Amino acid sequence: MNDYLIGVDIGTGGTKAGIFDEQGNQLAGAFQESELRHPKSGWVEQDMEDFYSSAAATIKKIIKKSGVDPGDVAALAFDGQMSGIGSIDENWEPVTRYDNWLDIRCEPFIKKMQKRAGEQILKKAGAPPTYSHGPKMLWWKENHPDVFDKIAKFIVPACYVAGKMAGLKSDEAFIDYTYLHFTCLADNKNKKWDDELCRIFDIPRDKLPQIVKPGTIIGEVTGKAARECNLKEGIPIAAGAGDTTATYLGAGIVDPGVIFDVAGTASVFASCTKEFAPDVEYETVMCSRSVIEGLWNPIAFINGGGLCLRWFRDEIGQKEREIAEKEDEDPYYYYDQQAQNIPPGSDNLLFVPHFGGRVLPPQPNLRGSWVGLSWGQKKSSLYRSILEGIAYEYYHYFKIKKALYPDTDFKEVRVLGGGSKSSFWNQLKSDVLDLPYVRIVQEEPAVLGSAVIAGYAAGLFDDLAETARKFVDKRESYEPRPEYHDYYKKYAKTYTDLIKDLEKTYTRLHELEEL
């Protein structure tokens, strides 16, 4: 009898499932796209039930495609979106739709939490209020108290799916500790809810789920779920992790000093350290927990950095996209080729990638910008400036991380995600940061990370870190070029100064909009 592991990633764009053997080889994968609802400007919602149905459908597909006997599945685990929040009643039925991390309706409550206890939240939870659980909970409490009263527990997508598959009731609802920095209500260092923060914001403690360690067995697949997923009843279900944190594990980010660039929908710049060090001075780097006890994953990210490139493709680069597609070529590769003809600095052009506001530091009024436009610039100048703008934001994050963790020797950046396919961009970011960039190729790292957690829960793996190191797949490496770094860092500093000025301008524009 063989032991197989299932990992499921409840992402923004869709749900992915994979089945793996004990050596980390993926035998089959499946994907089902998700629907994002936009009922009002700035609102982004998803149906909670869609998370479950898509998980069931993708699990069913991988069992069929792999040919694995359902009885040979040792365990499964789920990871999912982190900073949004959903809710359930006593019977595990959704009360509200999932308030997605891209949803910006809670902006007034970010300011409210910041004003009343911002530093306290930061020191305890490891991150300041942003588009995350606390402000989103307050939005429901203040704007729809009747709905708020019906909520038995607030819950994140992965935990909702796992609990429904296990047939849990609301008093068994859980959240694993990798999400705590996004709650605004937790004592992250001690892995517990903070009674004082709950009191300050009048969030009933009984509406918050129990906090568990990733890998905790939370239940077993019910007969009903087994029929819907083509699984065997009684398979253990383990608490997984947040999708980003599961990705770190799947990509082998388990050693202090390794930095991780997730070049995806969100541009994520994370690392691995041994210390809990809240960023009180800059309020930019969140101190999140690793799946592995005793390790931390300081993280900063651009809310939709990769979406800026998609926006360029769809709104500005349509002609070039059509040319690329006729030649059966990736449009982004085509844009890269054109952008390489533009000198560093993009013809003296700076791009600000915060189309939906800056997540951290909390600057919800900030918006995307080009500064330095002139008639002599081309579309390729605009495109290169987007790549550079995201790199300059990373430069800002890295300076803060070096100050927060002076004893950590930051060795290299490992890059993964759609943007990692761009050798041009990898080299550019290496030059800006003055760090080696290593492209890794993992088959769905979040899904693999969840499968590793499931294997740990089932007793197949004794050491999470060692297992993750063994499964990592490194490819191309890019070394920084000192002459380019010396040039870029001047632009990076100007970029940082620019954002300070733009924040004032966009705050004023926001005030005019409200008049």
Side-chain angles (χ1 to χ4, degrees):
M1 174 177 169
N2 296 310
D3 288 311
Y4 297 98
L5 302 164
I6 291 176
V8 183
D9 171 43
I10 314 293
T12 305
T15 297
K16 299 172 184 175
I19 185 164
F20 298 82
D21 63 21
E22 291 181 66
Q23 287 71 48
N25 300 307
Q26 181 169 311
L27 306 180
F31 172 77
Q32 182 167 307
E33 190 171 341
S34 296
E35 180 182 3
L36 295 175
R37 299 176 182 271
H38 305 271
K40 294 183 181 180
S41 177
W43 291 30
V44 185
E45 298 179 338
Q46 291 177 273
D47 283 337
M48 297 287 286
E49 183 54 30
D50 285 352
F51 295 136
Y52 178 82
S53 62
S54 63
T58 51
I59 292 172
K60 192 171 185 177
K61 287 178 183 177
I62 61 174
I63 292 295
K64 182 178 180 180
K65 287 167 67 176
S66 68
V68 167
D69 184 334
D72 289 343
V73 176
L76 66 157
F78 301 85
D79 68 82
Q81 302 173 54
M82 297 183 74
S83 63
I85 199 73
S87 65
I88 54 171
D89 63 16
E90 290 81 359
N91 297 313
W92 212 270
E93 295 297 328
V95 177
T96 62
R97 284 178 175 164
Y98 173 66
D99 185 343
N100 189 280
W101 59 281
L102 292 168
D103 190 304
I104 62 174
R105 77 181 85 166
C106 67
E107 280 183 4
F109 299 99
I110 296 175
K111 297 173 184 176
K112 181 176 181 179
M113 295 193 88
Q114 186 69 27
K115 184 176 181 180
R116 292 195 62 185
E119 186 171 330
Q120 196 172 349
I121 292 169
L122 175 54
K123 287 181 176 179
K124 290 182 176 181
T130 183
Y131 300 103
S132 55
H133 302 180
K136 291 175 181 293
M137 291 177 188
L138 287 181
W139 187 89
W140 285 106
K141 181 178 179 295
E142 299 295 328
N143 293 318
H144 297 279
D146 54 330
V147 176
F148 186 84
D149 289 343
K150 295 176 183 176
I151 295 172
K153 298 288 181 182
F154 284 100
I155 198 164
V156 292
C159 299
Y160 169 77
V161 173
K164 181 164 183 174
M165 198 161 286
L168 303 186
K169 297 297 183 182
S170 65
D171 60 353
E172 300 171 292
F174 68 95
I175 187 170
D176 75 78
Y177 60 50
T178 66
Y179 293 89
L180 294 184
H181 58 290
F182 275 130
T183 65
C184 302
L185 300 170
D187 176 351
N188 199 352
K189 191 171 184 179
N190 295 302
K191 297 176 288 188
K192 65 180 184 179
W193 297 113
D194 189 85
D195 291 334
E196 185 178 6
L197 290 175
C198 290
R199 178 188 57 76
I200 290 173
F201 297 107
D202 195 24
I203 297 293
R205 173 66 184 77
D206 62 6
K207 290 188 184 291
L208 303 176
Q210 62 179 315
I211 298 169
V212 302
K213 178 181 178 180
T216 303
I217 301 294
I218 59 91
E220 298 177 344
V221 175
T222 64
K224 182 176 184 295
R227 291 188 295 274
E228 292 168 339
C229 302
N230 195 21
L231 289 174
K232 185 178 179 181
E233 183 177 356
I235 295 172
I237 302 173
D243 56 359
T244 304
T245 314
T247 298
Y248 303 153
L249 183 66
I253 312 301
V254 294
D255 295 298
V258 177
I259 296 176
F260 192 38
D261 172 7
V262 184
T265 304
S267 296
V268 179
F269 191 75
S271 53
C272 182
T273 66
K274 291 183 178 179
E275 299 86 22
F276 175 70
D279 178 15
V280 177
E281 182 175 357
Y282 298 99
E283 299 186 357
T284 296
V285 176
M286 299 181 291
C287 198
S288 67
R289 280 189 171 274
S290 166
V291 170
I292 299 168
E293 192 83 54
L295 293 180
W296 296 83
N297 293 134
I299 174 178
F301 67 96
I302 304 169
N303 196 12
L307 288 179
C308 296
L309 297 172
R310 184 185 298 180
W311 173 83
F312 178 92
R313 182 197 70 183
D314 295 341
E315 302 298 332
I316 297 176
Q318 304 100 319
K319 181 180 178 181
E320 291 77 10
R321 179 184 182 181
E322 290 172 4
I323 293 171
E325 289 176 346
K326 284 180 181 178
E327 298 176 359
D328 197 25
E329 190 176 88
D330 183 345
Y332 296 113
Y333 176 78
Y334 187 90
Y335 301 142
D336 272 5
Q337 297 301 110
Q338 298 299 310
Q340 290 182 59
N341 297 321
I342 304 300
S346 302
D347 292 326
N348 215 30
L349 183 63
L350 287 173
F351 175 78
V352 176
H354 301 293
F355 280 35
R358 202 183 200 185
V359 179
L360 293 172
Q363 295 174 323
N365 296 331
L366 190 65
R367 290 295 181 267
S369 307
W370 265 300
V371 175
L373 287 167
S374 65
W375 287 301
Q377 291 155 350
K378 304 175 182 178
K379 287 183 183 180
S380 47
S381 305
L382 303 181
Y383 186 77
R384 179 169 184 139
S385 73
I386 297 175
L387 303 182
E388 291 179 343
I390 292 171
Y392 298 153
E393 183 81 6
Y394 279 7
Y395 180 89
H396 176 62
Y397 298 159
F398 187 40
K399 283 188 67 177
I400 295 171
K401 286 192 181 189
K402 288 190 288 187
L404 286 171
Y405 304 97
D407 297 329
T408 300
D409 178 21
F410 292 104
K411 308 176 185 71
E412 67 178 23
V413 182
R414 295 182 186 174
V415 60
L416 186 145
S420 71
K421 298 174 185 176
S422 170
S423 297
F424 173 57
W425 200 13
N426 292 337
Q427 183 65 63
L428 189 157
K429 286 187 280 192
S430 174
D431 292 337
V432 170
L433 297 172
D434 196 27
L435 280 171
Y437 248 67
V438 179
R439 180 174 176 245
I440 58 174
V441 183
Q442 299 301 109
E443 200 162 2
E444 305 302 345
V447 177
L448 174 59
S450 288
V452 170
I453 294 170
Y456 180 76
L460 301 183
F461 306 134
D462 295 327
D463 188 318
L464 282 170
E466 185 57 38
T467 303
R469 290 188 200 102
K470 184 171 64 176
F471 290 168
V472 72
D473 183 8
K474 294 185 179 182
R475 296 292 174 90
E476 303 92 2
S477 181
Y478 305 83
E479 294 296 323
R481 298 171 293 184
E483 67 276 18
Y484 280 82
H485 174 68
D486 291 341
Y487 187 82
Y488 274 130
K489 68 182 181 182
K490 298 171 186 176
Y491 276 91
K493 184 182 184 306
T494 304
Y495 168 90
T496 302
D497 294 338
L498 169 66
I499 284 189
K500 295 175 185 176
D501 295 331
L502 285 177
E503 165 66 6
K504 300 173 186 176
T505 300
Y506 282 113
T507 297
R508 179 56 182 154
L509 287 174
H510 187 73
E511 291 169 352
L512 291 173
E513 187 179 23
E514 293 179 340
L515 293 178

